[in-house]
Amino acid sequence: MAIAACFFTASLPNNTNPKLINLRGGGGDDSDDNSHNGDGDSAEDKNREEAMMVLAEGKQSLESLPKDLAAAIQAGKIPGSVVSRFLELEESRFFGWLMQFGGFRERLLADDLFLAKVGMECFVGMFTKTAAEYERRRENFFNELEVVFADVVMAIIADFMLVYLPAPTVSLRSPLARNAGTIAKFLHNCPDNAFQVALAGTSYSVLQRLGAIARNGAKLFAVGTASSLVGTAVTNALINARKTVDKSAAGEVENVPIISTSVAYGVYMAVSSNLRYQILAGVIEQRILEPMLHKHKIMLSALSFAVRTGNTFLGSLLWVDYARLIGIQKAQEEHKELTA
C-alpha cells in the first residue's frame, strides 16, 4: 500500500526513454483500432522496425533475448521504446536477475516504478493498517490486539499481490493452443489492468476490460482467503497461548472464526481492493500522474506514495466496518455484555 519511494527510485536507470510516455499513458484513445499509422504502414511493421533498430544500436540479437520478448518483437507487438527499456534494465545486476521472471518482466517494462510501488505497499501498509485499526477501536485497541494482529498479518501477506496483480503490463504472453476453450481464450486476451493504456497496434474492447476486473477479482479472492487463513490461524494460536498463561482471559477473549473470516476477506479483496487498485494503478498513476511527471521521478514517487498511503488507510477503515457489518468481528464491549 505504500512505497519506500525515494530509496527505490534512486536505483532505477536515469536515462528513461521519453518514448515510454506512450506506453504509460500519454494521451490518445486506446479503445480505437491502432493497427495503422498515418502513413498507411501497419503498426506491427513499425514496431518491428523500431525494435530491430534498437537491438542493432545496442549490439544485441533476438537470440540473446528471452523467448517471449523475442517472439513479441517478431510479431510486432511491442515498440522500440519497450526494447530500449529492457536493455536499460538489463544493465543493472539486480534488475537483470529480476527480468528473468516473466511476471516481473512484463510489469517492469510497463512501469519503471513498479518495484518502488511494491516497496511502498509493504513498508507503509503495516503502519497505516495499524493506525486505521486504532482509529476504529480506540480504547478497545489493546483489548482486541489479537484481532488487530490478524488484520495486519492478512494485510501484509496480501499487499504484494494487491500491487502485482492489477499492475499494468506489457503483454508478452504466447497465444493459447487452438483447442483452448472460449472462456480461456477470452481471459487470456484481457489486459492485466482494466484501465491500462494499450500499446500501438493493440486495443482492448470494453468487454475485455471488464474481463480484467473479473479475472483479477477471482485471483484476489483466492489470495485474500488464503492470507486470511494464515492470519487467523496464527491469531487463534496466540489467543490460546494467552488463555493458557492468563486464566482470566479465557472469558473475555474468543477465538477468531477462521472459515467465515477468510471467505469474507476474500470477498472484500475481490470487490473493494480489486476496484480500488485497478483505478489507482490504471487511472490515477498511469493516465494522470505519469504523463505529467514522467521526467520528475522523485516527485512522481512522492505523489504515488501519498495516494497509495491514503488508499491503504481507506481500505483498512472499510475492512473494519465491513467485518463488523457482516458480524465476523465484534467490539470488545459487545462481547463483554454477552458474557456478563
Side-chain angles (χ1 to χ4, degrees), residues 127-272:
F127 298 101
T128 54
K129 284 187 177 297
T130 302
E133 293 285 346
Y134 181 78
E135 176 69 21
R136 277 288 184 260
R137 302 177 193 278
R138 292 290 183 176
E139 65 274 6
N140 295 316
F141 180 81
F142 291 102
N143 291 331
E144 301 178 353
L145 205 55
E146 292 85 359
V147 178
V148 172
F149 182 81
D151 287 349
V152 173
V153 169
M154 287 187 286
I156 293 175
I157 294 175
D159 277 345
F160 172 79
M161 299 305 294
L162 281 171
V163 184
Y164 185 89
L165 290 177
T169 62
V170 172
S171 179
L172 301 175
R173 289 177 288 226
S174 58
L176 291 178
R178 291 184 179 181
N179 58 354
T182 303
I183 296 178
K185 289 181 179 178
F186 168 74
L187 293 176
H188 180 78
N189 293 323
C190 291
D192 285 285
N193 185 288
F195 306 100
Q196 75 176 66
V197 176
L199 293 172
T202 304
S203 63
Y204 300 113
S205 66
V206 173
L207 192 59
Q208 285 176 317
R209 292 185 181 277
L210 292 175
I213 296 176
R215 183 182 62 191
N216 274 350
K219 291 179 180 179
L220 287 174
F221 174 80
V223 170
T225 302
S227 64
S228 181
L229 284 171
V230 174
T232 51
V234 171
T235 297
N236 284 346
L238 291 176
I239 290 175
N240 292 332
R242 177 180 173 184
K243 288 179 179 179
T244 301
V245 175
D246 183 6
K247 300 298 183 181
S248 64
E252 64 180 54
V253 181
E254 61 179 4
N255 285 4
V256 179
I258 294 180
I259 301 301
S260 59
T261 299
S262 300
V263 173
Y265 193 63
V267 171
Y268 171 79
M269 283 191 65
V271 179
S272 175

Side-chain angles (χ1 to χ4, degrees), residues 23 46-48 50-51 54 76-84 199-200:
L23 168 62
K46 183 179 180 181
N47 286 344
R48 190 181 302 108
E50 286 183 359
V54 171
K77 292 171 58 178
I78 58 176
S81 57
V82 173
V83 180
S84 177
L199 293 172

Side-chain angles (χ1 to χ4, degrees), residues 239-315:
I239 290 175
N240 292 332
R242 177 180 173 184
K243 288 179 179 179
T244 301
V245 175
D246 183 6
K247 300 298 183 181
S248 64
E252 64 180 54
V253 181
E254 61 179 4
N255 285 4
V256 179
I258 294 180
I259 301 301
S260 59
T261 299
S262 300
V263 173
Y265 193 63
V267 171
Y268 171 79
M269 283 191 65
V271 179
S272 175
S273 299
N274 184 26
L275 291 175
R276 284 187 290 106
Y277 277 86
Q278 293 260 358
I279 294 171
L280 173 60
V283 178
I284 297 176
E285 289 181 337
Q286 191 183 54
R287 291 182 179 270
I288 298 177
L289 295 181
E290 292 183 11
M292 291 191 301
L293 302 171
H294 64 277
K295 293 182 179 180
H296 307 281
K297 295 298 183 183
I298 300 297
M299 188 179 298
L300 175 58
S301 297
L303 282 176
S304 184
F305 178 89
V307 172
R308 285 180 174 270
T309 300
N311 178 59
T312 299
F313 188 74
L314 173 63

